[in-house]
Amino acid sequence: MATKSPFSEIPSQLEQIPEDMPIVFISYSWDSAEHKQWVSDLSKDLREKFRVYTLLDQYNRGGDDLITFMQKGLNRADRVLIIGTPKYKEKIEKQSGGAKFEDQVITIELYHNMGSSKFVPILRDGSFGDSFNELIETRTGYDMRNDTNYEKVLQELASDLWGCPMNAAPTLGPKPNFTPASQILQPFTASTPQDFSTIVKSYILEPSKQILLTELIEDETEEAFNKVLQYASYSHQTTAQTFNAYLKVHQEAIAKLMSAILPVVRYGSINQQRLFVDGMVKLCIKPFKNGEITSEGTQYVHLLASTFLYHAMGLAAVKYGRFKLIKLLFETKVPAPNVFSPSCSYPLECLAGYNHWNHDSLNIYLQASWIYPYSQMIMSAIRNCFGRIFIDNNDFQNGFYTWEHLASLLCHYYKYQRIADNWFPIGGFVNKRASLLRYEDDFYTNFFKQAGMDKDNWSPIKQGLFGGKYSEYVATYEEGEKFYDKNRY
């Protein structure tokens, strides 16, 4: 029996179709070489930029039957893009040809299911009436006649194909409360972050309102969590546009909580501060739906809200000397399901405390060219929270680097390594360390120099960090210096 050659049967594009992405058939007519190339480029962009599996006749191998490809492709596809031109309409009105065959299949399916959104008109030339039959021209489609708007419309199309249309209707708000003002039992409402901060501060300073404070923070956390959860589908490719959209969603969701960080850290008890730590834990929760698929790396955007709160609270704790709060941050765990696992718990620091993206990717998402983009992103997100607490932006940056450096040391101390036993998170503070050698007079330099003067009486040590032992701090600090010198950018 003759040996079968590996070249005798080459699989077609209809074989081994993936299940974790949209399958899209592209129907068009060969109007010209230029038009054929435009369709090929559209298919290529959908594949490479947005992970859409396109079925296109130009990908067929020699010997493939075109009619079979059309029948199986149209049947298998989740959506069908119909590229409309006057020549396309002219060809489907003729008695034969590939475009005519595809139009017949599409027409039959539409007659049986007029409510289907499977068939999407893409207008490339002419008008909708000139380029599509009557069943298609009345459907919502995409105008791609103007090449200057190509990228924008492509983004809108891709989001639609992934089931996340950009023009989706806003979610419905809560049922309105038409109760007369005189009958409303709760005397305070926080319509703005500033109002919320004022109410939180007043509750903190009045011990009798501890229960009201708890309910206020829990209710606002629940509202923030629900806002984040509305956009907790991460089965898409991360781009600068999608990343910026998530940044906006998360920052708006926690605006009120961010405004209350300073009064809670400055005036609140450890139990009152714990309310915010519990809120961060909740925001790290990621319910997993059965069969849910997440594109690699995109799920980390779910942590943005808790990350901003985490670093704002850490910086405030350093500023006001609340090191017991920092100890609480590092000893808190997030139960499952969370972004990292649907079944295992993780330390809050592992989820919200440090960067999960590489520097190059994050710079692309932020459309920047920073050496430490994660540090810059955090500082930009939390700067307004601190108002005039710091003298100026330089003082704020030094304060942040103090917190970032201390957090890196504690991350190592608590053995939260993800690469090796000697791993430390790095950030903008790595270069700031030079100020310690120059004896500069700023928040960062004074903070770490104070450790050498106070030793076991240093406030972070007295409040329990590094096991309450200066010797543990020194050993960790020295290990960190070796690591930072080798891994600085």
Side-chain angles (χ1 to χ4, degrees):
M1 185 175 181
T3 303
K4 196 170 186 178
S5 168
F7 305 106
S8 60
E9 292 186 9
I10 302 176
S12 75
Q13 58 181 305
L14 290 167
E15 297 180 32
Q16 299 179 338
I17 294 180
E19 298 293 335
D20 62 342
M21 64 189 74
I23 311 302
V24 174
F25 185 93
I26 300 180
S27 176
Y28 69 108
S29 60
W30 288 13
D31 297 4
S32 64
E34 291 78 14
H35 181 65
K36 184 178 177 182
Q37 183 61 50
W38 184 90
V39 173
S40 176
D41 291 341
L42 173 64
S43 175
K44 180 175 182 288
D45 286 341
L46 287 172
R47 280 174 166 261
E48 294 183 349
K49 297 180 180 179
F50 298 100
R51 195 174 169 80
V52 173
Y53 190 90
T54 54
L55 296 170
L56 183 65
D57 58 5
Q58 296 181 45
Y59 301 153
N60 285 335
R61 275 64 178 270
D64 282 350
D65 179 62
L66 186 59
I67 298 300
T68 300
F69 167 74
M70 293 176 184
Q71 287 177 321
K72 291 185 177 181
L74 287 166
N75 181 63
R76 176 61 184 84
D78 301 309
R79 308 289 288 278
V80 176
L81 303 185
I82 304 173
I83 313 298
T85 64
K87 288 186 178 180
Y88 172 82
K89 185 174 182 180
E90 179 183 336
K91 289 185 178 182
I92 65 175
E93 291 175 346
K94 290 182 177 181
Q95 296 302 312
S96 62
K100 175 67 177 179
F101 177 81
E102 290 174 5
D103 179 66
Q104 289 176 332
V105 174
I106 292 169
T107 300
I108 291 171
E109 184 166 343
L110 279 176
Y111 271 126
H112 284 88
N113 187 7
M114 288 297 292
S116 172
S117 61
K118 178 175 179 177
F119 302 97
V120 183
I122 306 294
L123 182 60
R124 178 56 183 162
D125 192 18
S127 66
F128 276 86
D130 295 335
S131 304
F132 299 99
N133 67 28
E134 293 179 355
L135 283 175
I136 297 298
E137 68 170 299
T138 58
R139 294 178 174 271
T140 303
Y142 293 89
D143 187 345
M144 302 189 78
R145 290 173 295 181
N146 188 347
D147 289 339
T148 60
N149 295 329
Y150 176 81
E151 291 295 337
K152 177 178 180 295
V153 180
L154 179 68
Q155 175 89 14
E156 294 171 353
L157 172 62
S159 67
D160 188 352
L161 297 176
W162 273 100
C164 303
M166 292 183 174
N167 64 339
T171 55
L172 295 175
K175 179 181 177 181
N177 182 1
F178 296 109
T179 305
S182 59
Q183 298 180 21
I184 298 176
L185 298 178
Q186 296 181 357
F188 294 110
T189 58
S191 59
T192 68
Q194 185 175 1
D195 292 340
F196 190 80
S197 178
T198 301
I199 295 171
V200 167
K201 184 176 179 181
S202 68
Y203 283 179
I204 290 173
L205 299 179
E206 295 184 41
S208 62
K209 294 185 176 180
Q210 173 64 42
I211 294 178
L212 289 175
L213 176 66
T214 300
E215 292 180 350
L216 184 69
I217 300 303
E218 289 180 346
D219 288 348
E220 186 57 36
T221 299
E222 182 68 22
E223 184 173 341
F225 178 67
N226 288 333
K227 289 178 181 177
V228 169
L229 215 58
Q230 291 177 25
Y231 301 91
S233 174
Y234 308 110
S235 55
H236 57 76
Q237 182 183 28
T238 303
T239 64
Q241 290 77 18
T242 58
F243 193 84
N244 183 63
Y246 276 108
L247 276 177
K248 184 177 180 181
V249 167
H250 284 243
Q251 287 180 292
E252 290 179 353
I254 60 170
K256 291 180 182 178
L257 292 174
M258 286 286 287
S259 72
I261 289 287
L262 288 181
V264 168
V265 175
R266 187 172 188 178
Y267 304 112
S269 66
I270 190 67
N271 286 331
Q272 291 168 331
Q273 293 161 0
R274 192 186 299 271
L275 294 172
F276 275 77
V277 177
D278 291 343
M280 293 178 219
V281 169
K282 185 175 184 67
L283 289 166
C284 286
I285 296 297
K286 170 64 176 76
F288 286 82
K289 300 176 184 178
N290 186 34
E292 182 178 27
I293 296 171
T294 298
S295 295
E296 184 177 358
T298 58
Q299 72 273 27
Y300 298 139
V301 298
H302 189 75
L303 299 172
L304 289 171
S306 54
T307 294
F308 297 150
L309 287 171
Y310 187 93
H311 286 283
M313 181 159 272
L315 174 53
V318 168
K319 178 67 176 178
Y320 294 122
R322 304 294 191 261
F323 298 106
K324 288 182 180 179
L325 170 57
I326 293 179
K327 188 171 185 289
L328 175 62
L329 288 174
F330 276 82
E331 293 179 352
T332 297
K333 288 195 173 184
V334 179
N338 53 64
V339 168
F340 277 9
S341 172
S343 59
C344 298
S345 64
Y346 275 87
L348 178 61
E349 162 67 14
C350 284
L351 294 169
Y354 53 74
N355 182 18
H356 301 293
W357 294 278
N358 63 59
H359 295 291
D360 291 337
S361 295
L362 194 52
N363 265 325
I364 291 173
Y365 302 153
L366 296 172
Q367 295 182 300
S369 56
W370 288 312
I371 298 176
Y372 296 103
Y374 183 74
S375 301
Q376 294 294 332
M377 179 182 73
I378 300 299
M379 285 191 285
S380 297
I382 71 175
R383 178 63 182 100
N384 289 338
C385 170
F386 289 87
R388 298 181 180 178
I389 300 303
F390 291 95
I391 298 172
D392 53 24
N393 285 335
N394 189 56
D395 189 35
F396 165 77
Q397 185 180 71
N398 287 333
F400 179 80
Y401 286 158
T402 304
W403 150 248
E404 191 178 43
H405 191 170
L406 180 63
S408 176
L409 298 175
L410 286 169
C411 185
H412 177 82
Y413 178 78
Y414 279 98
K415 303 301 181 186
Y416 292 159
Q417 69 276 0
R418 297 182 65 193
I419 300 175
D421 288 343
N422 67 337
W423 184 75
F424 291 77
I426 60 175
F429 72 90
V430 172
N431 293 330
K432 175 62 184 174
R433 289 154 49 243
S435 66
L436 293 171
L437 301 176
R438 295 194 294 262
Y439 295 94
E440 294 180 9
D441 185 15
D442 57 43
F443 188 95
Y444 174 89
T445 307
N446 293 335
F447 179 86
F448 286 103
K449 285 194 175 296
Q450 195 67 39
M453 293 186 283
D454 293 346
K455 295 183 170 54
D456 283 327
N457 289 320
W458 189 37
S459 188
I461 301 298
K462 289 183 68 175
Q463 293 185 41
L465 295 186
F466 301 98
K469 298 178 181 179
Y470 176 71
S471 58
E472 292 287 328
Y473 162 75
V474 171
T476 305
Y477 188 91
E478 290 176 350
E479 285 185 57
E481 287 300 290
K482 296 176 184 177
F483 182 87
Y484 304 140
D485 286 337
K486 290 181 180 179
N487 294 277
R488 65 188 300 169
Y489 282 86

